[in-house]
Amino acid sequence: MERPAWAPRSIDISVPSVSRMYDYYLGGSHNFEVDRQAARKAMEFMPGLPKIMQANRAFLRRAVRYAAEQGISQFLDIGSGIPTFGNVHEVARAARPGARVVYVDHDPVAVAHSQAVLEGEDDAAVVAADLRKPQEILHSPEVERLIDLNQPVALLLVAILHFVEDEDDPYGAVAELGEALAPGSLLVLTHASYEGVPLPPERAGGAVNVYEDIRNPLIMRSREEIARFFKGYDMVEPGLVAMPRWRPDTAPEDEDPYAFSGFAGVGRTA
């Protein structure tokens, strides 16, 4: 397999990547055949996966606009993935000029592309780090340069927590990050769940098994389990809901049934 110029030499292009599969679902071009094969296999069980990812991105944009409208000008996007149209820094600055953004991802392709997109940007940067190691993120030079933790921050954990297994203590990581945030900060997250998927769980489980096979287990938590991530936060209306139902721009009834898979929410620190 020929390595494209945009692929870092350090990555194994024979192994599927969750972030490149996500890029494929969204119609992006920064993925390999091995990623497309895995994604298509998952779609055999859950054909609406692209609709879920589109709903996820649409929620992210709405939540970033909401945060900016609330006066927040700092965004920490962990698990940011491969840059696509409507990046966080673009949406945030459109609503609040001068907004500062730090992207965080542990996928070398996502980091490399973010660096290329952000070249020449003074108010946005990318960190190669892992959600499971919050202190490495919080004390990275990029975060220390751009994010003032004494002022409100929007912490974005969008479509990442369902890739962190319980044994890696995702609740502890989220709590540790939250403890570093100033009052008035926001926690923005989405999470996969069997609840809302317009398929029998055993069929949807076939797609989950594909992620297990590529050694990136997809943890489908219940609404109650997802709500635990917001411990210590005041939920912003309408609370923890299906993605199209969180402050929609258009009538949720017009959305594809798959868009209602999983949950989204925003919480505010007291």
Side-chain angles (χ1 to χ4, degrees):
M1 182 186 305
E2 185 177 350
R3 181 183 298 271
W6 51 263
R9 302 296 305 178
S10 58
I11 69 167
D12 184 350
I13 62 176
S14 68
V15 177
S17 154
V18 166
S19 63
R20 296 195 306 266
M21 290 170 67
Y22 189 93
D23 178 70
Y24 172 72
Y25 293 136
L26 289 174
S29 59
H30 295 103
N31 49 76
F32 305 125
E33 182 57 29
V34 66
D35 306 307
R36 296 188 284 273
Q37 288 176 354
R40 287 193 291 262
K41 186 175 180 181
M43 289 169 62
E44 289 177 9
F45 298 98
M46 197 182 296
L49 278 167
K51 293 295 184 181
I52 297 173
M53 307 312 168
Q54 290 164 18
N56 190 78
R57 293 294 298 185
F59 162 77
L60 173 63
R61 290 191 290 269
R62 295 197 304 277
V64 168
R65 286 200 304 269
Y66 171 82
E69 290 163 0
Q70 295 298 303
I72 292 179
S73 60
Q74 306 183 108
F75 297 81
L76 181 57
D77 184 1
I78 302 178
S80 51
I82 295 171
T84 59
F85 175 75
N87 290 316
V88 170
H89 69 281
E90 296 169 340
V91 177
R93 287 177 187 171
R96 193 166 186 83
R100 301 186 302 280
V101 179
V102 176
Y103 296 101
V104 181
D105 209 289
H106 66 83
D107 185 310
V109 171
V111 172
H113 274 285
S114 297
Q115 289 171 335
V117 168
L118 299 175
E119 186 175 0
E121 293 275 359
D122 292 330
D123 293 332
V126 60
V127 178
D130 194 312
L131 169 63
R132 293 169 293 187
K133 298 178 179 179
Q135 294 304 315
E136 290 187 9
I137 296 172
L138 294 170
H139 296 293
S140 66
E142 295 84 357
V143 168
E144 291 185 341
R145 177 172 68 87
L146 290 175
I147 305 294
D148 179 359
L149 293 173
N150 294 311
Q151 298 296 322
V153 176
L155 171 61
L156 312 177
L157 300 176
V158 176
I160 180 174
L161 288 166
H162 46 236
F163 290 114
V164 184
E165 299 180 81
D166 287 341
E167 64 190 47
D168 290 322
D169 193 17
Y171 296 103
V174 173
E176 191 171 343
L177 288 164
E179 288 169 2
L181 302 180
S185 294
L186 297 178
L187 170 62
V188 177
L189 69 78
T190 63
H191 199 297
S193 177
Y194 284 120
E195 297 177 40
V197 178
L199 289 173
E202 58 272 16
R203 180 166 178 81
V208 174
N209 291 339
V210 171
Y211 285 88
E212 182 80 36
D213 291 343
I214 65 171
R215 299 180 182 179
N216 279 282
L218 181 58
I219 313 302
M220 305 289 273
R221 296 188 171 97
S222 68
R223 186 184 186 281
E224 182 179 1
E225 290 170 325
I226 297 166
R228 283 179 53 200
F229 287 112
F230 287 101
K231 183 178 179 179
Y233 292 84
D234 295 325
M235 294 301 295
V236 171
E237 289 293 334
L240 187 61
V241 295
M243 293 178 287
R245 299 195 185 282
W246 197 90
R247 297 176 177 258
D249 294 328
T250 58
E253 293 74 20
D254 296 336
E255 294 284 350
D256 186 280
Y258 275 98
F260 295 86
S261 305
F263 293 96
V266 176
R268 179 181 284 108
T269 56

